[in-house]
Amino acid sequence: MTQMTSKPPAKTKAIFTVTEAAGNQIKTLLDGRGKPSLGIRIGVRQRGCSGNSYTLEYADEVNPLDEIVEVGNLRVFIDPKAVLFVIGTEMDYTEDKLESGFSFMNPNEKGRCGCGESFHV
């Protein structure tokens, strides 16, 4: 009689992750908006010298094909046209004396332009 062993399910990589710093900044932006929002929406559009750039906007409604990532009590909506571009991406927020902003560490990127504003996959 052969004995079957069960393997634990393989860990799947999150479609999109948000660092604590980025989550805190998103919460600050949503709290300061002055009207209720469901969360933020991440998208990608063709722009810049490398071809694509990330977009961020307030999400006031759920689009039927949005991917929704829950981060604590925050919701990040991924535009369906952007999903293939951002799988495995980590969103962070950094602040120093000269600049502050969101950054995206995307394992799918094949290159970025010199100024860092656009990317290609």
Side-chain angles (χ1 to χ4, degrees):
M1 178 177 200
T2 60
Q3 198 173 30
M4 294 183 67
T5 59
S6 115
K7 291 183 182 178
K11 274 191 167 181
T12 58
K13 192 162 191 160
I15 186 171
F16 192 86
T17 57
V18 178
T19 65
E20 185 177 346
N24 291 337
Q25 183 61 22
I26 292 168
K27 184 175 179 351
T28 298
L29 292 171
L30 292 172
D31 291 346
R33 184 170 184 215
K35 75 178 204 175
S37 295
L38 297 176
I40 63 161
R41 180 169 285 108
I42 306 292
V44 172
R45 69 175 171 184
Q46 291 187 332
R47 185 174 93 179
C49 30
S50 276
N52 298 298
S53 66
Y54 299 101
T55 62
L56 240 79
E57 62 186 17
Y58 293 107
D60 294 328
E61 60 186 38
V62 179
N63 295 333
L65 299 175
D66 280 343
E67 289 286 334
I68 302 170
V69 177
E70 304 261 344
V71 181
N73 61 351
L74 298 173
R75 290 168 52 180
V76 177
F77 299 87
I78 310 292
D79 183 290
K81 295 175 193 154
V83 169
L84 292 176
F85 292 97
V86 302
I87 291 174
T89 296
E90 179 183 76
M91 179 181 181
D92 194 14
Y93 180 79
T94 54
E95 191 172 334
D96 63 29
K97 292 179 182 179
L98 298 176
E99 68 180 354
S100 62
F102 291 105
S103 60
F104 299 87
M105 282 62 76
N106 186 338
N108 306 303
E109 286 183 14
K110 301 295 183 220
R112 283 189 162 258
C113 66
C115 65
E117 293 294 320
S118 62
F119 68 97
H120 68 276
V121 292

